[in-house]
């Protein structure tokens, strides 16, 4: 995989030079903490099983970052690169397609982790948010959920004829999910009908899995999430690999 | 003479268009080989089949003795490619693009020296999106040379370059050849093909119209050469009509056009005039060029 390191580092720099993408990955979630923290504080609540609003938003906003990158960032960048001919230029080199994909995945995962660190830093500084799980376990869950979301993104990029369409499809899928999955507003405060819809949204399962592991639950208690997300990952990545176009 | 590229019976069809139709030719090591023809002639399709980026529908391509469509990664190390249509991430800087693309290859050229040669050194920290069309084109040419390729492909070499940059590019391409590399380029500028290429393939409507050195193509036409000159107050009877090289003379006032043939045609005409003590001004010889060749072979004018 010659060039993997250089491509990953370059992708990362390019990401940070995109003000909008960087804002939504790194700055938006902490801003939500400031906003909702000011409104609801972090007092333990019966509604959230004894945790405070800010305690549970840490894992929820992590899911939000994954959704933003996977459903908006990945399809917009990938289909844009294809439409402009950037992918054509890469294909004219000996760099292997797998190297390109791995570099892209690494960049997005690192951006996610960076977003999480800032988010948790702000949450901890202002509200001493609680973390009761195992770091490694949560890390694995973030990577696993990330791959799932990114595979949906690649699938959108592969199927959409152009960059505009990919962007619209990503937004149509992401925005309802953003509000109905518990990633930005806890499902506990949602009406029963919304919660029933939420069960069908992939991002809901990310929110549930991450929150569970965050507070010390085991993987065994989240087999549903693992199966659903794993299924999406396998099908999404398979279809994306099948339909991916370099030009 | 080592053959580095061999194309046999290449054919490529897009739904209803036959883009390349039974094309066969060879490219020799160390030459500048040019493929010239109007837009839509099939140049890009042909060059990208050789680069292994498109699959022929029929026929075969051989690059370094192997099929580039099958063994792309091995071949990609040894060739340099400038695509007609491609792009880079908008916010990547010139120097960053050079080191990124360099990192994909086992062998790398000195990127500072390449940028120097292409007049981009002071643009090193400029973003791709802030480059002019000509600067982007020069960057893509630098990227095509980043791995010290044995064969370089330029698809529309000087598109977007101003006349001065175009001439500099011709010099660069000659240098590349003189370093022992093989250059395969396409262009729709006949003058470029004529001035730069060792051999020229004229492609029209997916078919080969002619393939030879520019000189041979032009002289094969056996077209008349012309000398245009002004003769103030010259006598009615000129000492030129008896020369064996001269076919006919057209005269309107002081201006005369002498039509003739032969390798050295201007020499005897000038000698004869000087001998007769006739003063002439503004002597200009007009040679047929590749545009005339294209016109003669296809019945259509490239310049239109
Ligand atoms: N990807 C493609 N899909 C459909 N038609 C194509 C494609 N590429 C080229 N063509 C058609 O094939 C013909 C040759 O095109 P091309 O090889 O680009 O010619 P040139 O490079 O000489 O301008 C043109 O009629 C063009 O419209
Ligand atoms: Mg072309």
């Amino acid at each position: 995989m010659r060039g993997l390191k250089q491509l990953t580092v370059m992708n990362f720099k390019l990401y940070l030079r995109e003000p909008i993408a960087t804002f939504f990955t790194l700055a938006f979630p902490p801003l939500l903490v400031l906003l909702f923290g000011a409104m609801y504080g972090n007092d333990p609540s019966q509604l959230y099983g004894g945790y405070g609003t800010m305690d549970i938003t840490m894992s929820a906003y992590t899911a939000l970052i994954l959704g933003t990158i996977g459903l908006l960032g990945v399809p917009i960048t990938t289909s844009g690169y294809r439409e402009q001919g950037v992918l054509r230029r890469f294909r004219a080199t000996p760099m292997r397609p797998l190297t390109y994909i791995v570099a892209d995945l690494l960049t997005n995962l690192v951006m996610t982790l960076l977003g999480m660190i800032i988010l948790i830093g702000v949450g901890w500084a202002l509200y001493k948010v609680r973390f009761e799980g195992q770091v490694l376990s949560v890390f694995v869950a973030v990577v696993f959920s990330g791959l799932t979301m990114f595979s949906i993104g690649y699938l959108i990029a592969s199927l959409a004829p152009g960059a505009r369409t990919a962007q619209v499809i990503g937004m149509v899928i992401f925005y309802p999910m953003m509000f109905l999955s518990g990633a930005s507003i806890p499902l506990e405060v949602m009406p029963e009908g919304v919660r029933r819809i939420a069960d069908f949204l992939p991002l809901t399962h990310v929110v549930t899995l991450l929150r569970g592991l965050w507070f010390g639950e085991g993987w065994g208690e989240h087999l549903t999430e693992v199966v659903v997300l794993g299924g999406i990952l396998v099908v999404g990545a398979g279809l994306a690999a099948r339909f991916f176009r370099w030009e | 003479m080592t053959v580095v590229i061999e194309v046999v019976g290449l054919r490529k069809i897009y739904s209803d268009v036959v883009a390349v139709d039974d094309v066969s030719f060879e490219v020799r090591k160390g030459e500048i080989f040019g493929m010239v023809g109007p837009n839509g002639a099939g140049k890009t399709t042909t060059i990208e089949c050789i680069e292994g980026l498109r699959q022929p529908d029929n026929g075969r391509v051989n690059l370094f003795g192997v099929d580039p469509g099958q063994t792309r990664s091995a071949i990609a190390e040894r060739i340099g490619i400038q695509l007609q249509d491609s792009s880079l991430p908008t916010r990547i800087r010139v120097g960053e693009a050079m080191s990124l693309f360099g990192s994909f290859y086992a062998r790398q050229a000195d990127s500072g020296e390449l940028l120097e040669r292409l007049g981009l050194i002071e643009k090193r920290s400029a973003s791709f999106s802030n480059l002019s069309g000509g600067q982007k084109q020069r960057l893509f040419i630098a990227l095509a040379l980043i791995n010290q390729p044995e064969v370089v492909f330029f698809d529309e070499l000087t598109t977007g370059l101003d006349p001065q940059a175009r001439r500099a590019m011709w010099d660069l391409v000659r240098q590349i050849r003189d370093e022992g590399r093989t250059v395969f380029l396409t262009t729709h500028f006949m003058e470029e093909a004529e001035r730069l290429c060792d051999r020229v393939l004229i492609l029209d409507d997916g078919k080969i119209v002619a393939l030879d050195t520019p000189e041979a193509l032009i002289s094969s036409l056996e077209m008349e050469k012309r000398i245009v000159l002004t003769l103030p107050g010259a006598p009615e009877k000129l000492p030129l009509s008896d020369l064996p090289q001269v076919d006919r003379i057209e005269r309107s006032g002081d201006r005369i056009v002498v039509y003739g043939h032969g390798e050295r045609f201007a020499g005897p005409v000038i000698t004869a005039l000087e001998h007769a003590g006739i003063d002439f001004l503004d002597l200009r010889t007009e040679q047929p060029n590749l545009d005339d060749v294209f016109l003669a072979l296809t019945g259509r004018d490239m310049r239109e």
Side-chain angles (χ1 to χ4, degrees), chain B residues 39-40 42-45 84 155-156 186:
Chain B
N39 281 331
K43 303 183 294 296
T44 297
T45 305
Q84 180 178 357
D155 195 1
E156 301 287 352
T186 78

Side-chain angles (χ1 to χ4, degrees), chain B residues 21 26 63 81 104:
Chain B
D21 192 1
E26 287 177 353
L63 174 58
I81 297 179
F104 299 149

Side-chain angles (χ1 to χ4, degrees), chain A residues 2-3 6-7 10 13-14 17-19 81 84-96 247, chain B residues 48 53 72-73 76-77 81 83 85-89 91-93 96 100-101 103-106 140 143:
Chain A
R2 195 177 314 118
Q6 286 85 349
L7 186 58
M10 196 63 243
K13 286 189 194 164
L14 290 172
R17 286 177 200 165
E18 291 294 337
Y81 275 11
Q84 294 152 21
V86 176
L87 296 184
R88 272 174 66 71
R89 189 61 195 79
F90 281 133
R91 204 162 81 88
T93 73
M95 183 193 48
R96 287 162 210 275
E247 49 189 278
Chain B
E48 293 196 356
L53 296 174
R72 240 204 76 72
S73 55
E77 286 281 351
I81 297 179
L83 297 158
D85 289 309
S86 72
S87 186
L88 292 177
R91 293 177 209 264
I92 200 168
R93 303 192 178 121
E96 291 172 340
L100 175 64
F101 279 77
S103 76
F104 299 149
Y105 296 90
F140 282 122
L143 290 178

Side-chain angles (χ1 to χ4, degrees), chain B residues 117-184:
Chain B
R117 275 168 92 176
L118 283 148
L120 285 173
I121 196 77
E122 73 286 1
K123 286 282 162 192
R124 202 175 209 154
S125 359
S127 292
F128 179 72
S129 57
N130 289 337
L131 299 179
S132 71
Q135 288 164 343
K136 284 180 180 163
Q137 177 76 355
R138 281 182 277 146
L139 175 57
F140 282 122
I141 287 165
L143 290 178
L145 299 170
I146 193 78
N147 58 327
Q148 303 185 315
E150 293 163 55
V151 179
V152 204
F153 295 91
F154 298 119
D155 195 1
E156 301 287 352
L157 175 70
T158 56
T159 299
L161 299 188
D162 55 51
Q164 195 191 341
R166 177 170 298 163
R167 259 156 247 278
M169 196 58 66
W170 293 350
D171 284 339
L172 178 74
V173 171
R174 290 188 192 105
Q175 279 172 29
I176 294 169
R177 180 217 24 219
D178 295 342
E179 288 163 8
R181 309 178 202 283
T182 309
V183 179
F184 187 128

Side-chain angles (χ1 to χ4, degrees), chain B residues 72-281:
Chain B
R72 240 204 76 72
S73 55
I75 280 178
E77 286 281 351
R78 301 170 65 186
I79 64 175
I81 297 179
Q82 173 245 314
L83 297 158
Q84 180 178 357
D85 289 309
S86 72
S87 186
L88 292 177
T90 46
R91 293 177 209 264
I92 200 168
R93 303 192 178 121
V94 169
E96 291 172 340
M98 293 294 284
S99 39
L100 175 64
F101 279 77
S103 76
F104 299 149
Y105 296 90
R107 186 173 50 185
Q108 288 177 40
D110 180 339
S111 87
E113 189 200 318
L114 270 180
L115 291 179
E116 189 83 60
R117 275 168 92 176
L118 283 148
L120 285 173
I121 196 77
E122 73 286 1
K123 286 282 162 192
R124 202 175 209 154
S125 359
S127 292
F128 179 72
S129 57
N130 289 337
L131 299 179
S132 71
Q135 288 164 343
K136 284 180 180 163
Q137 177 76 355
R138 281 182 277 146
L139 175 57
F140 282 122
I141 287 165
L143 290 178
L145 299 170
I146 193 78
N147 58 327
Q148 303 185 315
E150 293 163 55
V151 179
V152 204
F153 295 91
F154 298 119
D155 195 1
E156 301 287 352
L157 175 70
T158 56
T159 299
L161 299 188
D162 55 51
Q164 195 191 341
R166 177 170 298 163
R167 259 156 247 278
M169 196 58 66
W170 293 350
D171 284 339
L172 178 74
V173 171
R174 290 188 192 105
Q175 279 172 29
I176 294 169
R177 180 217 24 219
D178 295 342
E179 288 163 8
R181 309 178 202 283
T182 309
V183 179
F184 187 128
L185 62 88
T186 78
T187 178
H188 61 272
F189 296 112
M190 285 291 181
E191 190 200 351
E192 183 163 285
E194 185 178 329
R195 305 265 303 261
L196 182 58
C197 298
D198 298 315
R199 289 195 308 142
V200 173
L201 186 160
I202 300 181
L203 194 69
D204 185 36
D205 207 9
K207 296 189 190 65
I208 296 182
V209 175
L211 168 56
D212 213 327
T213 63
E215 300 75 26
L217 288 172
I218 290 164
S219 62
S220 73
L221 276 190
E222 292 179 353
M223 267 181 58
E224 283 181 321
K225 296 174 182 172
R226 293 183 294 271
I227 297 175
V228 183
L229 34 72
T230 311
L231 297 180
E236 200 51 43
K237 175 88 176 82
L238 289 172
L240 298 177
S241 28
D242 304 333
L243 294 174
Q245 295 91 342
V246 172
D247 299 331
R248 67 203 153 88
I249 297 168
E250 269 172 20
R251 190 162 180 165
S252 60
D254 285 350
R255 221 175 96 88
I256 72 164
V257 184
V258 185
Y259 292 87
H261 58 270
E263 281 287 301
R264 272 181 294 269
F265 162 55
V269 171
I270 295 169
T271 316
L273 288 174
E274 281 177 341
H275 211 76
I278 300 171
D279 280 339
F280 54 87
L281 304 168

